[in-house]
Amino acid sequence: MSTVVRIAGSAGQGVQTLGDILARSVFRSGLYLHGEMSYHSRIRGGENTFTLRIGESPVLATEAQADLLVALNEEMLVVHRPAVREGGVVFTDEEVGEPGHGAVRLPAGRLARDELKLPIAAGVILLGAAARFLGLTPEVVRAEIRAAFGEKAEPNVRAVDLGYAHGPAGTPRLPAPRFAPGDRMLLTGGQAVGAGAIAAGCRFVASYPMTPGTAVFEFIAQHAAQHGIVVEQAEDEIAAINMALGASYAGARALVTTSGGGFALMVEGLSLARMIETPVVIHLGQRPGPATGLPTRTGQENLLFALHAGHGEFPRYIVAPTDPADAFYLTMKAFEVAEKYQVPAFVLTDQFLVDSYAVVSALSPTRVPVEEHLVPVEELDRLGRYERFAVTRSGISPRALPGVSEKLVLVDSDEHDPYGRITEDLGVRRAMVEKRLRKADGMREEISPPEIYPAGSLRGKRVLLGWGSTYGAIREATERLGEGYAHVHLRELWPLRTEELRRVWGEAEEVILVEETATGQLGRLVGGETGLRPHRFVPRYDGRPFTAEDILGALR
Amino acid sequence: MAELNGEKYLADVEIAWCPGCGNFAIRKSLARALAQVDLPPHKVVLVTGIGQAAKIAHYVNLNGFNGLHGRTIAAAAGVKLARPDLTVIAESGDGDLYGEGGNHLVHNIRRNVDLTVIAHDNRVYGLTKGQASPTAPRGYRTRAQPAGSPSAPLNPLALAVAVGAPFVAQAFSGEIERTADLIAQGIRHKGFALVNVLHPCPSWNRVQTFAWYRERLVHLEERGHDPTDRAAAFAVAIGSGEEIPIGVVYRTERPTFADGHPVLAGDPVGLRPLPSPEDVRPILEGFL
Ligand SMILES: Cc1ncc(C[n+]2csc(CCOP(=O)(O)OP(=O)(O)O)c2C)c(N)n1
Ligand code: SF4
């Protein structure tokens, strides 16, 4: 069971800030939550909502219905009231014209103007009232207000207190604390990708702003000076990836972060990464396309694009995290795989994951080992001639940096011999193609198998198959469907491990793909590799994330 | 003598340039410039793009990053930002640097990364067989522009001075010593240095030949040009159309990208050790 609070306002009314404060207050109270920010692509006006789902156990999906709506203006009241459940409550300002029956009307605007001389604080007053109704202690909320507003906190602290004083007490809705302070973390997927990159030793980030990739770019920029990372806003995405490759060649673990349109511009650079066997991590935050699409909405339309982008044939590594914890660990792993195999690695997220808060088990920076994959300088000194692209069984050649020894390092976008010199020798060409492709064998071994829930045989079951951030919604739907249903989820998508998938198809009664696309890209990917096709497909492609209700509705 | 000629910088490999091409002389000038500044080969990275000129990465004994057409300066900036301890030279054709790569030229002048950019300006696309490059004169006829190029040529010197490049020079490939000297000055100059090297392409460009250039060259030093005077630099860059200026067009001091940068002031990021788990704990604690 969960309690859903929705704060709805126009851009500029502080919905994100109010949502952050409420989410942090709930987290501080020892409760699980999921916080989803949804917004129109506008800086002023439009419609912003923050949906907070509070639960007794981890929550990883959002919900359309709400128990408590805080409507910051009349328009939001009209738009969002229909989604309030029977017995739910609406908090709004007394100046809002037609609140309908059952609404709690507070003199928020008047108090903010007259008592606080800070009209914008009306939202904070409503927040205070909602917090009281939920049963949060004022101390917790005040502390979060202070953390959020810094020097400007005091009028806002008073606003919260006014909300507590004027709002009604609810029947306590929130469960008792579920975890102790220090046991869990609250973060967004975007923060998690950034933290994972830093933990993996990322030293160079170049990016051109594009939602939702920007969240990661900005997070790392905030920590760059402290952690010795060069962060540069490139003139375009083409520059971003070529700068990243130059930096990576020279020894800096490198990241680019973008979305579909930006990645489209990076594609030639992706091929270069592969030809010069220089690692780079690409954070590709998906949003609906084609072209500029729905700039602030979510989707999973770039799986096949990430997989097929680039001219020529070469292996790559693709992960799609399910939640912020997964995003942290898989980003670290993406850096490690990229460095070890000298390949491009993709962290494929989406707007929903990047912008949503979730409570996860405290992250451990030691779970994914971070290792050096360069030839030690002493070894280089002992070598006669250094061959950057020596042909090996594993396909991995010894990688050295320029300027650390007297050995010269030569890389070339043309086909080249082991030393790096241009060649058109057909035998060398064949050997190089084969060497590069051999890396996929090693990478496939490193990939974790799909998660199967509940564990055990799938015989006679209907399997809901998904990947990436739809995890929470699918899991919730599977649990509610109960007996006869299972959930199979892929987080590391390429190189594809086909044997487990064959098992799924072999045992299950039916495989139902659940994906935020119109065409079922994972189905096409698996089909291409194994000939197996999902029996049914539950799509969503309107730019909003899946809820468990959506999936149940499609299956009923 | 071998020392001064910089022979150690030259690779003993087969060279795929056309006989009589100006590229050979530019290669010699580069080696002499490196001998002048006396850098060990392994401390230099030559970043090139794609084209005939770009092949130079294979004809020298230096670290080399022979990347994509047009992306030379972007990749070179990445190398330099990761490794300020290395001397980074970006070298390619006029198509590469001014056509496909124009955006990176403009923005890296703005950034003022400490790079030396050597442009082989033959006014044509050599490798793709003679189409007009951005510096080709209006009316220049090729198989791709049979009625003559309808666009005015780009003026790289004026562009670089306008955007604020702190070192802008022009050389002629036929003058090996002088070209070497200008490249060496560019390398020594802290910040973004552009050396535009005019060079005849005997295979495709039948208009701007050696003789054509020789008739028009003027040496700025002999003219008493003051390269620190920006207005004079513009006048020289824009020129009369009759004369072709050779020498340092503009020279100034400007803060570089690295000056005062919170990260670039420390050890090169490309050489920093991997973080320990302890290093990231403060970030993770922020999520508690
Ligand atoms: C993205 C891309 N577009 C086009 C080409 C084809 N191409 C190779 S070299 C070249 C032009 C080279 O001209 P320039 O840079 O002036 O060098 P030059 O050959 O004259 O020395 C072109 C268009 C390419 N390799 N990559
Ligand atoms: S095409 Fe022209 S510039 Fe290129 S190598 Fe031949 S002569 Fe030189």
Side-chain angles (χ1 to χ4, degrees), chain A residues 297-308:
Chain A
R297 302 298 179 184
T298 201
Q300 296 184 304
E301 297 172 15
N302 290 345
L303 174 57
L304 294 179
F305 181 32
L307 179 64
H308 296 302

Side-chain angles (χ1 to χ4, degrees), chain A residues 25 57 227 244 265 292 329 359 382 440 453 492 498 546:
Chain A
S25 304
S57 52
H227 293 270
L265 291 180
T292 314
Y329 296 120
V359 175
R382 277 198 301 274
Y453 171 89
E492 289 176 79
T498 50
F546 261 120

Side-chain angles (χ1 to χ4, degrees), chain A residues 395-472:
Chain A
I396 303 170
S397 306
R399 182 163 163 249
L401 304 184
V404 298
S405 78
E406 290 195 356
K407 298 293 183 303
L408 299 177
V409 183
L410 178 63
V411 301
D412 196 289
S413 64
D414 284 274
E415 190 57 273
H416 42 256
D417 66 12
Y419 181 76
R421 293 227 189 270
I422 291 183
T423 183
E424 293 192 34
D425 180 307
L426 305 185
V428 175
R429 159 71 184 173
R430 276 195 296 272
M432 284 294 165
V433 170
E434 289 157 13
K435 164 192 130 63
R436 292 190 290 260
L437 289 177
R438 277 202 293 279
K439 295 179 182 190
D441 301 335
M443 280 156 60
R444 192 173 290 109
E445 292 305 307
E446 308 227 5
I447 283 190
S448 53
E451 183 179 327
I452 298 181
Y453 171 89
S457 168
L458 296 170
R459 224 159 275 293
K461 292 195 170 158
R462 297 191 148 81
V463 164
L464 303 186
L465 174 69
W467 62 279
S469 76
T470 52
Y471 180 88

